[in-house]
Amino acid sequence: RGASKGEGSENAPLGGGGMTSADGLDSMEEDASPELLPDFYMPIAKGGFLPGNLHYYRIHSCKRADSQSEASEPREDQVIVTDTLEPSGKGHFCRLTIDSYGKVDSITYLGGEELQVESLWSLVGLSETFLNHLYVRWKDGDIPDIVEFLTDEWATALFHDRFMDFCHQIQLEMRGQEEVKAIIDRALESVNLKDGLSRKLLASIQAQLPKSSVKAMQDRLLEYLRGNTNHLKTYFLPENWDIHR
């Protein structure tokens, strides 16, 4: 499933007059120009029901045409795999890849349990930093099953229909802060963008953020959770703390 930024043009009338065959060829060449092709940007989902009562899903990001030639196999530290699938169909196989900019690039699932594809789809393109230290905890052996981890109560907010609006709001506010922009620009000066952004670099940028910016993001998060308590009931907010003095 994908979506385009540009709407398709309406079909030309069959009986259009005054147009020569040469004009038609010129028009076709113009329409086929790479500059005029629509830019697809939403994740693409595939799925099927396989023998053994197994559900298969694969959701991956939509690559730009100019980046296809640069596509390569992900590095070892960009792949997270768990496999608890048994011959009976119980359990899950899940493979998640992270792109060179720290975003979820693809999710592949195989298992007897039917999942909500929309939820998996919403994770593709999301920054890995939203996934509760997934890679580090998986590397340490704390996460034997990615599916179980991502369906735990802590992740409920990720699948809410207003979560992306919250992310965009945070991005806009951070872009408007000159101090934050200066920190990021300095960090990127020595980075080869072809190699991407390492987790170490992202952690370094995060550590340098002004306390006021971190506090603003935390406040925005609390506003988001408070504004959606009808669905996000499992989060323990500061006003719920019963502090006895």
Side-chain angles (χ1 to χ4, degrees):
R1 177 167 55 180
S4 168
K5 291 180 182 176
E7 297 294 329
S9 58
E10 294 182 359
N11 291 331
L14 290 175
M19 179 173 168
T20 67
S21 54
D23 292 334
L25 289 173
D26 291 341
S27 175
M28 288 174 65
E29 289 178 1
E30 183 178 345
D31 289 342
S33 172
E35 291 78 12
L36 298 178
L37 293 176
D39 187 8
F40 294 93
Y41 62 93
M42 297 184 75
I44 299 170
K46 303 174 184 177
F49 190 62
L50 304 181
N53 295 324
L54 296 175
H55 298 272
Y56 168 80
Y57 310 114
R58 174 168 166 76
I59 302 96
H60 62 91
S61 61
C62 188
K63 300 286 194 302
R64 290 180 56 88
D66 55 8
S67 67
Q68 291 294 329
S69 59
E70 301 176 4
S72 60
E73 284 297 312
R75 301 189 308 267
E76 183 180 344
D77 65 341
Q78 293 177 314
V79 180
I80 304 171
V81 179
T82 60
D83 186 1
T84 60
L85 186 59
E86 300 175 1
S88 63
K90 183 180 179 182
H92 320 98
F93 168 86
C94 190
R95 181 180 188 267
L96 187 147
T97 63
I98 309 297
D99 68 15
S100 56
Y101 295 99
K103 295 183 177 181
V104 177
D105 190 55
S106 71
I107 299 175
T108 304
Y109 167 83
L110 183 67
E113 181 181 358
E114 184 177 5
L115 303 182
Q116 291 187 353
V117 182
E118 293 81 3
S119 297
L120 294 175
W121 187 76
S122 67
L123 291 174
V124 175
L126 197 65
S127 172
E128 183 195 6
T129 56
F130 285 113
L131 302 184
N132 204 0
H133 307 289
L134 172 61
Y135 178 78
V136 175
R137 295 171 68 178
W138 167 77
K139 195 74 173 174
D140 290 341
D142 294 335
I143 300 175
D145 190 319
I146 296 175
V147 175
E148 294 292 338
F149 179 69
L150 293 177
T151 53
D152 202 0
E153 290 184 344
W154 73 267
T156 308
L158 300 179
F159 305 110
H160 193 278
D161 56 5
R162 294 178 184 168
F163 182 71
M164 291 311 299
D165 292 336
F166 160 73
C167 294
H168 292 150
Q169 181 184 27
I170 292 292
Q171 290 175 0
L172 289 174
E173 291 183 4
M174 292 298 105
R175 287 174 184 169
Q177 297 185 24
E178 293 300 324
E179 189 175 357
V180 173
K181 287 171 63 177
I183 292 171
I184 295 174
D185 289 342
R186 283 198 304 270
L188 295 179
E189 285 176 358
S190 59
V191 172
N192 182 349
L193 293 182
K194 248 184 175 179
D195 296 333
L197 309 177
S198 67
R199 293 182 179 88
K200 185 177 180 180
L201 175 64
L202 293 174
S204 172
I205 294 174
Q206 183 178 358
Q208 296 178 60
L209 291 176
K211 290 183 179 180
S212 57
S213 299
V214 175
K215 179 67 164 57
M217 284 189 281
Q218 292 172 341
D219 290 342
R220 286 297 185 194
L221 175 59
L222 290 174
E223 286 178 16
Y224 163 70
L225 294 175
R226 289 182 181 119
N228 298 285
T229 51
N230 55 331
H231 294 120
L232 308 177
K233 301 175 181 178
T234 60
Y235 294 92
F236 201 63
L237 301 175
E239 55 266 29
N240 303 135
W241 299 347
D242 185 16
I243 302 177
H244 301 283
R245 301 189 180 185

